[in-house]
Amino acid sequence: QAILCLPRSFEYSQKNAVLVPAAALGVGGMLVFWLRSRHKIKTLEMGDGWWGSGERPLKGKEDESIRPFKIETSDKEIEDLHRRLEQARYTPPLEGAAFHYGFNSSYLRKVVAYWRNQFDWRKQVEVLNKYPHFQTTIEGIDIHFIRVKPSYVPHGQAVQPLLMVHGWPGSFYEFYKIIPLLTEPARHGLNEGDVVFEVICPSIPGYGFSEAPHQKGFDTIATARIFHKLMNRLGFKQYYVQGGDWGSRITTNMAQMLPQSVKGLHLNLIFINRQGLRRMISVMLGAYVPWLVGLTREDVRRTYPFIQKNIYELLRESGYLHIQATKPDTAGCGLNDSPVGLAAYILEKFSTWTDKSFLHKDDGGLESKYSLDELLTNVMIYWVTSSIVSSMRFYKENLSKDPRLTPDARVGVYVPTGIAAFPQEIVHTPRAWAKQIFKNIITYSYMPRGGHFAAFEEPKLLAQDIMQFVRKVEQL
């Protein structure tokens, strides 16, 4: 019997010899997976979308061709504009109101007179067409962009692709002054020979010459996905991204979505939705013992008195936001029909968002930083494309949900990040607060001057900061 049992016990021990290591290997593998998953970077799901008219076609692949595009105008378009400008009605401003009640109508008359009698839209169309324009169809809508390559690249030097994204009420035209500084730095007195860029500036769908989405729900995450597809279609595997205003949130989403594709993220405005006890303590102690909560003297100067700068001033400057985040189509009707109303609505932002003190000036300080030709060219991009309503809808699509519950609110940013903090920006975010979301801040610069429209107002300062950031990332 003992002899008969021997084969069985041998068979059993043989099974053990296989099962025990297999079980140990399985448990060990699960442990390794658990430990790795704890440190795995959480990303924003890319997903997919369809924004064309009607149902998505079941058959047939989307046309992925890149088509040259040219901005054009006509006598009819200009005559219609002139007729509307001539028929404008004005309400006299209150005495001494300056820009405290919005765009001062006495100065508006001067702007409209210049627009009607001196502004040359045909000439500005030539200016706009000086860079190569393109369109391509992504997710059912035509995406417009400009692509500018450096004219000269020193031997052995890598050209860095840079996607720059505008916001509201701006456009791709905001970048026209910074593009030559980035593509030809040596020619413009920037001795940054080791960094040169190829610049791609798309129009956000629904803005300017990018087709407006035909479906509800088009937000910054959808835009981020479309811009990744655009860069991939252009043949780029890795690239830098830069933005302010909506461009900041779109490029941040791009970094959260495909961190392996984004070499670096540079922002001149940051959105921080996370509040909580930690932030409250930081706000309460920051004015008295800033060093204890990681704030600098400059942070204190820009952030306090807190109620005035972060609540009162923000409320005063964000009335438009509440309208656009709720009933954009109602307010948009008048703006789309009246060029004078459109100009007042848009240009008021180029006053107080450039410098808060411009509120006290009768002309809103507009011509101290920009020319009327520059300002009206930006307005014209909205006018000739009838895109003001679709641009305003972007607020409703992004702000009608609880910001703490959106998919991107639960995802950190781990790509190398550069932040340029301009002193006249609508709101200041100290580095200590930015670190809650941006986990890998390489550069944080307190810019000496400038406001919300950084590339348009202070192109050289912004270009230098982008170059400094990219140089540090390339050395990592």
Side-chain angles (χ1 to χ4, degrees), residues 333-358:
C333 287
L335 302 178
N336 196 44
D337 190 57
S338 165
V340 176
L342 181 68
Y345 196 74
I346 286 177
L347 297 186
E348 180 229 296
K349 305 306 177 200
F350 281 87
S351 167
T352 47
W353 291 3
T354 296
D355 191 316
K356 298 176 187 78
S357 70
F358 287 173

Side-chain angles (χ1 to χ4, degrees), residues 106-298:
S106 293
Y107 179 60
L108 183 60
R109 283 177 181 271
K110 293 178 184 175
V111 172
V112 172
Y114 181 87
W115 197 359
R116 170 62 185 86
N117 302 313
Q118 291 171 265
F119 179 76
D120 187 343
W121 175 232
R122 289 187 186 282
K123 181 184 170 188
Q124 293 308 116
V125 164
E126 286 179 23
V127 170
L128 291 173
N129 283 326
K130 75 174 181 178
Y131 293 131
H133 292 248
F134 303 91
Q135 277 188 338
T136 188
T137 307
I138 304 176
E139 297 188 7
I141 52 176
D142 290 339
I143 306 301
H144 161 261
F145 63 97
I146 56 173
R147 182 182 187 181
V148 189
K149 299 179 181 183
S151 57
Y152 169 73
V153 182
H155 179 69
Q157 184 172 315
V159 177
Q160 303 297 342
L162 174 65
L163 180 85
M164 302 189 81
V165 186
H166 66 88
W168 187 92
S171 64
F172 66 93
Y173 177 60
E174 279 181 74
F175 301 115
Y176 269 48
K177 287 188 275 188
I178 198 172
I179 285 171
L181 307 183
L182 296 168
T183 57
E184 304 171 316
R187 190 178 288 187
H188 294 89
L190 296 173
N191 297 317
E192 317 288 354
D194 55 331
V195 177
V196 67
F197 296 94
E198 176 175 342
V199 180
I200 298 92
C201 300
S203 294
I204 299 170
Y207 288 68
F209 300 99
S210 274
E211 186 179 351
H214 298 266
Q215 313 292 333
K216 293 187 291 182
F218 187 84
D219 57 11
T220 57
I221 294 172
T223 315
R225 180 178 65 244
I226 281 177
F227 287 172
H228 270 308
K229 288 181 177 182
L230 171 64
M231 294 301 277
N232 187 255
R233 194 170 289 184
L234 293 175
F236 299 114
K237 296 287 180 280
Q238 285 191 309
Y239 33 89
Y240 286 91
V241 294
Q242 200 283 330
D245 196 87
W246 281 125
S248 165
R249 187 156 157 184
I250 291 163
T251 53
T252 297
N253 288 164
M254 290 179 76
Q256 293 168 314
M257 192 177 283
L258 293 178
Q260 68 274 23
S261 295
V262 177
K263 290 181 82 175
L265 167 69
H266 187 280
L267 307 172
N268 53 278
L269 172 66
I270 43 180
F271 294 90
I272 303 285
N273 291 326
R274 298 175 191 176
Q275 303 299 327
L277 183 64
R278 187 174 163 188
R279 172 69 66 81
M280 198 186 298
I281 291 168
S282 181
V283 168
M284 289 167 65
L285 298 179
Y288 307 102
V289 280
W291 50 269
L292 194 63
V293 288
L295 302 189
T296 65
R297 284 184 182 178
E298 186 59 21

Side-chain angles (χ1 to χ4, degrees), residues 81-102:
L81 171 70
H82 286 175
R83 179 181 58 80
R84 291 168 186 263
L85 294 177
E86 287 162 4
Q87 293 178 352
R89 300 192 306 173
Y90 302 89
T91 302
L94 295 170
E95 292 180 14
F99 263 56
H100 287 276
Y101 284 72

Side-chain angles (χ1 to χ4, degrees), residues 317-341:
E317 292 299 329
S318 61
Y320 79 98
L321 184 147
H322 300 282
I323 293 168
Q324 294 176 192
T326 51
K327 306 287 179 69
D329 287 34
T330 305
C333 287
L335 302 178
N336 196 44
D337 190 57
S338 165
V340 176

